[in-house]
Amino acid sequence: MTYFSRLSAQVAEVGALCVGIDPHPGVLDAWGVGQNLAGVEKVALGTVDALGDKVAAFKPQSAFFEQWGSGGIAVLEKCVYAARQSGALVILDVKRGDIGSTMDAYARAYLGDGPMGVDAITVSPYLGFDALKPALDLAEANHRGVYVLARTSNPEGTDIQMGRTASGTVIAQTVVDQAHRRNQLSGANAVGLVVGGTHDSIGVDLSDFQACVLVPGIGAQGGTISALDTLFAGTDALILPSVSREILYAGSSAVRLREAVDHMLGG
Amino acid sequence: MTYFSRLSAQVAEVGALCVGIDPHPGVLDAWGVGQNLAGVEKVALGTVDALGDKVAAFKPQSAFFEQWGSGGIAVLEKCVYAARQSGALVILDVKRGDIGSTMDAYARAYLGDGPMGVDAITVSPYLGFDALKPALDLAEANHRGVYVLARTSNPEGTDIQMGRTASGTVIAQTVVDQAHRRNQLSGANAVGLVVGGTHDSIGVDLSDFQACVLVPGIGAQGGTISALDTLFAGTDALILPSVSREILYAGSSAVRLREAVDHMLGG
């Protein structure tokens, strides 16, 4: 079953919400745990335990685990394992982007069957959409997904992403178009997009796009789920908002975490 | 002492060469070691042992360690530790790029004093040069370096990198200009660039740039060190060619690895 089919089924069952697992200093404080790896583990596993049956996907943010070296990656492996057992899908936010056999190694790390194999990853196209090919190939072969950064939620991204390629297309739109072409060829819809939910207008035309659009920036960064229908009007893409801090700041209580998810889905 | 001062001293002493540590499948075969983590460790530590006194910097490629999960990162930590003891500087090739507290976590992971703290890292600007600020800040504060991808060695990168920003500048040039401005403000020259050595023309104007330009694509990708004087004519930047496979394919013999470096520096 393709990644996109699994995700669609999951969204149909529990609703369209991805919860980011970002164990950053403010979250560790909100959970009353130490600023250490044990605290990171409590947040990561606690979030999975509390919400695994209630969200379509988890999105662990690799940086907050990498910060602790190999011990942090071992905790991330535990988190990924628990999340994959929970029923929710796992989108690992790593924003990798490289070329050739290096990109292939990243693909094998995250889209293979190793200890860090997940359902999907985020990737960055500065080295060219086509440089991502080893990851797209492996995602399609292994029924996984890849989300390519198109238009990110932060204001600093505008100058490059809303710029134009050497051949004259808006850069974020080129990413959209190439992802769409790839999905048409494969039929697998393995290639999703990252399009931020914080701008007045998304700045790209998604009218043909059929796969999943991951929408970060909801909550702490100012975007709201209720605004997404308008922001993403006119596309049949599967819109998957991703919320991290707005939920994790509820703290270690499973009840309060589940209430935060209900509030987010209801709002 | 700033990163740039340390690097300059190192280059003055042993010459301008960075050796990439890319333990990919072909290299493991060339070394006669297994396609496993023990093989990766032999290549990584063997390269450092053989060449630590002979090269300005090592550039471990994170992907080939990440591929093995937390165990791979533990080997990368050993490699980084050994390399930092060897006298050569360590430029960890991670191409991270994110925003806000996430970028800050990446900076702390690699430019702090944790187990994976190195002399410099590579970063990717698709989310905006200014989004990299947490890494630039920490690099300057901790006397470390950051190499921002400007113009990469692969052909797929051209369409975006030689495109234009929303404000009309060539994108790779914007990266050059912003790195230069940052270095002028800090006086530390902590911000280097990645500019590939495989194109007929580098496509950017480096005439004002004073810090280090890391030049991958030498050797296996077709660039040559002898062509760099012409390719980078008219800049006072410190040009640091990076060679990986051309050297690592010499295999496990320290003598042959050292000969490969001599050959590279002499050619």
Side-chain angles (χ1 to χ4, degrees), chain A residues 2-24:
Chain A
T2 65
Y3 169 73
F4 185 71
S5 304
R6 296 203 308 281
L7 179 65
S8 300
Q10 195 62 22
V11 165
E13 197 180 322
V14 300
L17 185 67
C18 172
V19 168
I21 301 181
D22 292 25
H24 75 105

Side-chain angles (χ1 to χ4, degrees), chain B residues 55-120:
Chain B
V55 301
F58 289 112
K59 181 173 77 63
Q61 173 50 259
S62 186
F64 295 111
F65 299 88
E66 290 180 46
Q67 188 178 343
W68 303 92
S70 58
I73 302 301
V75 169
L76 179 55
E77 284 173 356
K78 281 193 210 177
C79 170
V80 162
Y81 182 82
R84 296 196 76 183
Q85 302 295 311
S86 77
L89 301 186
V90 180
I91 303 168
L92 187 60
D93 199 351
V94 287
K95 295 188 179 64
R96 300 299 191 259
D98 214 297
I99 64 173
S101 64
T102 306
M103 192 66 221
D104 192 52
Y106 281 130
R108 286 167 196 273
Y110 299 110
L111 302 169
D113 297 316
M116 201 62 89
V118 290
D119 295 291

Side-chain angles (χ1 to χ4, degrees), chain B residues 179-251:
Chain B
H180 176 59
R181 267 200 297 279
R182 176 86 196 200
N183 287 333
Q184 281 192 303
L185 286 171
S186 72
N189 277 344
V191 189
L193 300 169
V194 175
V195 177
T198 53
H199 305 290
D200 291 339
S201 145
I202 56 171
V204 287
D205 177 2
L206 294 173
S207 54
D208 290 332
F209 197 74
Q210 306 283 329
C212 182
V213 178
L214 185 66
V215 184
I218 305 300
Q221 285 185 55
T224 61
I225 287 189
S226 57
L228 295 184
D229 281 352
T230 311
L231 204 53
F232 290 91
T235 176
D236 295 329
L238 171 56
I239 304 299
L240 183 63
S242 182
V243 186
S244 302
R245 291 148 207 216
E246 191 101 340
I247 288 174
L248 294 190
Y249 273 124

Side-chain angles (χ1 to χ4, degrees), chain A residues 61-64 66-67 69-70 73-74 77 94-99 101-102 105-106 108-110 115 124-128 130-131 149-150 152-154 156-157 159-167 171 175 221 245, chain B residues 61-64 66-67 69-70 73-74 77 94-99 101-102 105-106 108-110 115 124-128 130-131 149-150 152-154 156-157 159-167 171 175 221 245:
Chain A
Q61 173 49 257
S62 186
F64 296 112
E66 290 180 46
Q67 189 179 343
S70 58
I73 302 302
E77 283 172 357
V94 287
K95 296 188 178 66
R96 299 299 191 259
D98 215 296
I99 64 173
S101 64
T102 305
Y106 281 131
R108 286 167 196 272
Y110 300 111
S124 180
Y126 188 77
L127 291 89
D130 290 338
L149 300 183
T152 59
S153 58
N154 62 311
E156 306 92 342
D159 204 35
I160 289 181
Q161 295 159 20
M162 291 290 100
R164 294 198 175 255
T165 64
S167 36
I171 285 171
V175 174
Q221 285 184 54
R245 292 150 207 215
Chain B
Q61 173 50 259
S62 186
F64 295 111
E66 290 180 46
Q67 188 178 343
S70 58
I73 302 301
E77 284 173 356
V94 287
K95 295 188 179 64
R96 300 299 191 259
D98 214 297
I99 64 173
S101 64
T102 306
Y106 281 130
R108 286 167 196 273
Y110 299 110
S124 180
Y126 188 77
L127 291 90
D130 290 338
L149 300 182
T152 60
S153 59
N154 62 312
E156 306 92 343
D159 204 33
I160 289 182
Q161 295 159 20
M162 291 289 101
R164 293 194 177 258
T165 63
S167 35
I171 285 171
V175 174
Q221 285 185 55
R245 291 148 207 216

Side-chain angles (χ1 to χ4, degrees), chain A residues 50-200:
Chain A
L51 302 179
D53 63 336
K54 211 175 168 58
V55 300
F58 289 113
K59 181 172 77 63
Q61 173 49 257
S62 186
F64 296 112
F65 298 87
E66 290 180 46
Q67 189 179 343
W68 304 92
S70 58
I73 302 302
V75 168
L76 179 56
E77 283 172 357
K78 282 192 208 176
C79 170
V80 162
Y81 182 82
R84 297 197 74 183
Q85 301 296 311
S86 76
L89 301 186
V90 180
I91 303 168
L92 187 59
D93 198 351
V94 287
K95 296 188 178 66
R96 299 299 191 259
D98 215 296
I99 64 173
S101 64
T102 305
M103 193 67 221
D104 192 53
Y106 281 131
R108 286 167 196 272
Y110 300 111
L111 302 169
D113 297 316
M116 201 62 89
V118 291
D119 296 290
I121 57 170
T122 57
V123 297
S124 180
Y126 188 77
L127 291 89
F129 186 92
D130 290 338
L132 302 171
K133 184 173 185 296
L136 310 188
D137 288 347
L138 198 62
E140 287 165 5
N142 285 358
H143 301 305
R144 314 294 173 90
V146 170
Y147 291 87
V148 189
L149 300 183
R151 174 79 171 115
T152 59
S153 58
N154 62 311
E156 306 92 342
T158 301
D159 204 35
I160 289 181
Q161 295 159 20
M162 291 290 100
R164 294 198 175 255
T165 64
S167 36
T169 316
V170 170
I171 285 171
Q173 187 65 46
T174 298
V175 174
V176 172
D177 295 345
Q178 290 186 99
H180 177 58
R181 268 199 298 278
R182 176 87 195 198
N183 287 332
Q184 281 192 303
L185 286 171
S186 71
N189 278 343
V191 189
L193 300 169
V194 176
V195 177
T198 52
H199 305 290
D200 292 340

